[in-house]
Amino acid sequence: MALWSGRFEKDMDQIVKQYNASIGFDQRLYNYDINGSIAHVTMLATQNIITEEERDIIIGGLEQIRTGIANGEIVFTYEDEDIHMAIESRLIQLVGDVGKKVHTGRARNDQSAVDVKQYLCFELREIVKELIELEKVILQKAQQYKEQITVGFTHIQHAQPITLGFMFMGYFQMFKRDIQRLMDAYERINFCPLGTCALAGTTIPLDRHMTSQLLGFAGPTENAMDTVSDRDYILEFLSTASISMMHLSRWAEEFTWWNSTEFSYIAIDDSFCTGSSMMPQKKNPDIAELLRGKCGRVYGDLMGMLTVMKGTPMTYNKDFQEDKEYLFDAVDTWKASVTIFAKMLKKTEYRMDKIAPQLERGFLNATDVAENLVMAGVPFREAHHITGRLVKLCENKGCNLEDLTDEDIKTVNPDISRATLGDITIKACVENRKTFGGTAPSEVERQIANGTAWLDYTEKEWS
Ligand code: ARG
């Protein structure tokens, strides 16, 4: 019979026990559960609710249980129900009646929340570290390819020339915001639920400030009712995870087509590809594809959790037990995805030999022609039209804008010549885009310097 079975006359049905149990997944919280109990009994002793001797016996027992779980001596079954009951019942077996005092002034509602919050605060910091590592790889690549020109696309059509360094710094900004979102969420997560009890606090004179401090939180949560029914912090984390996975997935998608035979802009390292069981020649970008697929999984975690919460009245409801699997899955998936992507990116070769010929195609310098006409006094709309006519002329002649002669140009507009079109080499097109946030190497250098300073600061703050 369960520790809570006083008012029951029958044991639970076996299938109900299995259905009800969360031990299968919440056992991964055992360290946090034990930390919470140690802080709790330390406070109970300071408040003279238990004696110092009782405190020490309980702590000794808990440490023994911690070791037993860590080295695999303690094995759980669904009969244990959840990690809280599993540890408490073993404590009582181990130290006898004193163990029955551990749950004084505490419910599983606040206990489960304090376990998850400790876990999340830890994992959130781990993910920040992984994202920082990814940002370092991006900065390195941006520096390396600061001046290498590639095709910039809109609608997957050739648009304007950019540098690879510029593109890298674009991705840098996305992951910077992901890190900032995590740090921002952390400020709200980092409050301690312990001692809010079932929903209304307790008549037992706890010191919640003390337990909060012992566990390293910024302070105790403000309202007990809100605390045991709040899962916002999980939802915030899951939405941040979803946004960040979306960023990774978009880049992974780019990897797959940049790696295709048609593009070959990049060569993904063998160690991040797999072969085909049937076609001997194949080298597939499976890891990039899988990462794109994993994004769907994390969205599912967010949608699942939003749906669990919808329609749950104040305060605790058993529905909330479902929070852990969504959270664990998202943590595992996101963390691994960031780590793997950073490694893959580091080893990816950017094939300038394949990219260079593509710069000749698709009139990447057309906007520059129009802008140079503007600087020569032609109103933009007219310059746009003239350039459009010039592009058409090139298509008919089978040449590029820079190949047009004065005679060709006069057929479109008698007032302009080749000289009016200015320097429209691809290099000039890139170097002249000097506006703040533009693709000019000088601008990319500024972005790299700013990014490096921000990353150094953030790394120091968070280590
Ligand atoms: N295993 C439960 C959970 O994770 C612990 C809380 C149970 N509380 C209760 N009143 N049944 O949510």
Side-chain angles (χ1 to χ4, degrees), residues 36-174:
S37 293
I38 291 175
H40 190 64
V41 294
T42 304
M43 177 276 294
L44 290 178
T46 308
Q47 297 296 94
N48 294 317
I49 299 163
I50 61 171
T51 67
E52 289 183 353
E53 202 192 349
E54 288 169 333
R55 174 198 63 196
D56 294 343
I57 293 171
I58 293 175
I59 294 177
L62 288 168
E63 289 299 0
Q64 231 176 296
I65 293 168
R66 193 196 308 266
T67 311
I69 300 172
N71 64 24
E73 270 164 35
I74 296 179
V75 182
F76 302 110
T77 74
Y78 69 87
E79 293 278 348
D80 284 302
E81 189 174 342
D82 60 25
I83 190 63
H84 325 298
M85 302 315 301
I87 292 175
E88 188 179 337
S89 57
R90 279 183 183 70
L91 180 71
I92 295 167
Q93 277 167 23
L94 202 64
V95 304
D97 281 352
V98 180
K100 293 180 181 167
K101 295 197 172 185
V102 69
H103 209 54
T104 310
R106 185 177 80 174
R108 275 185 294 165
N109 298 353
D110 57 330
Q111 195 181 353
S112 155
V114 79
D115 291 5
V116 172
K117 276 196 164 181
Q118 290 173 79
Y119 162 83
L120 187 51
C121 285
F122 176 79
E123 291 296 345
L124 187 151
R125 298 182 81 100
E126 291 297 297
I127 293 170
V128 168
K129 282 186 211 159
E130 293 303 323
L131 285 167
I132 287 174
E133 288 310 307
L134 171 61
E135 292 287 59
K136 284 186 191 166
V137 178
I138 296 176
L139 282 174
Q140 220 174 291
K141 291 270 176 192
Q143 186 63 38
Q144 182 183 351
Y145 293 106
K146 194 167 60 184
E147 278 164 15
Q148 304 295 330
I149 301 174
T150 187
V151 178
F153 296 89
T154 61
H155 314 270
I156 324 186
Q157 302 285 320
H158 282 209
Q160 292 176 350
I162 55 167
T163 66
L164 272 174
F166 180 63
M167 181 205 76
F168 284 118
M169 289 315 290
Y171 282 111
F172 181 89
Q173 294 300 324
M174 296 184 203

Side-chain angles (χ1 to χ4, degrees), residues 12 43 317 410:
M12 283 164 103
M43 177 276 294
N317 303 274
K410 298 267 181 257

Side-chain angles (χ1 to χ4, degrees), residues 110 140 152 156 216 231 255 259 279 304 310 322 338 396 412:
D110 57 330
Q140 220 174 291
I156 324 186
R231 294 295 181 273
F255 260 62
N259 187 66
M279 298 170 280
K310 174 188 168 299
E322 292 289 308
V338 177
N396 293 340
V412 169

Side-chain angles (χ1 to χ4, degrees), residues 15 33 38 56 82 90 165 168 181 185 188 194 220 244 255-256 261 306 351 370 381-382 393 396 430 434:
I15 192 148
D33 197 77
I38 291 175
D56 294 343
D82 60 25
R90 279 183 183 70
F168 284 118
R181 264 184 280 273
R188 278 180 294 279
L194 192 58
S244 184
F255 260 62
T256 61
T261 310
L306 280 168
R351 306 209 33 197
R381 195 44 63 209
E382 217 172 292
L393 185 65
N396 293 340
V430 169
K434 289 200 187 86

Side-chain angles (χ1 to χ4, degrees), residues 228-285:
V228 295
S229 71
D230 170 31
R231 294 295 181 273
D232 296 10
Y233 54 94
I234 294 179
L235 291 169
E236 269 196 83
F237 176 84
L238 292 174
S239 30
T240 302
S242 299
I243 293 171
S244 184
M245 284 299 292
M246 174 272 292
H247 288 150
L248 286 170
S249 176
R250 291 181 71 187
W251 205 350
E253 161 65 11
E254 198 170 87
F255 260 62
T256 61
W257 56 269
W258 279 35
N259 187 66
S260 67
T261 310
E262 282 70 19
F263 268 84
S264 303
Y265 280 19
I266 56 171
I268 303 178
D269 195 71
D270 274 7
S271 55
F272 289 87
C273 292
T274 64
S276 157
S277 60
M278 185 187 189
M279 298 170 280
Q281 84 283 16
K282 294 282 273 179
K283 174 182 155 184
N284 296 323

Side-chain angles (χ1 to χ4, degrees), residues 389-390 393 405-414 416:
R389 300 304 308 158
L390 294 174
L393 185 65
T405 61
D406 282 342
E407 289 82 79
D408 294 331
I409 295 168
K410 298 267 181 257
T411 66
V412 169
N413 189 309
I416 58 171

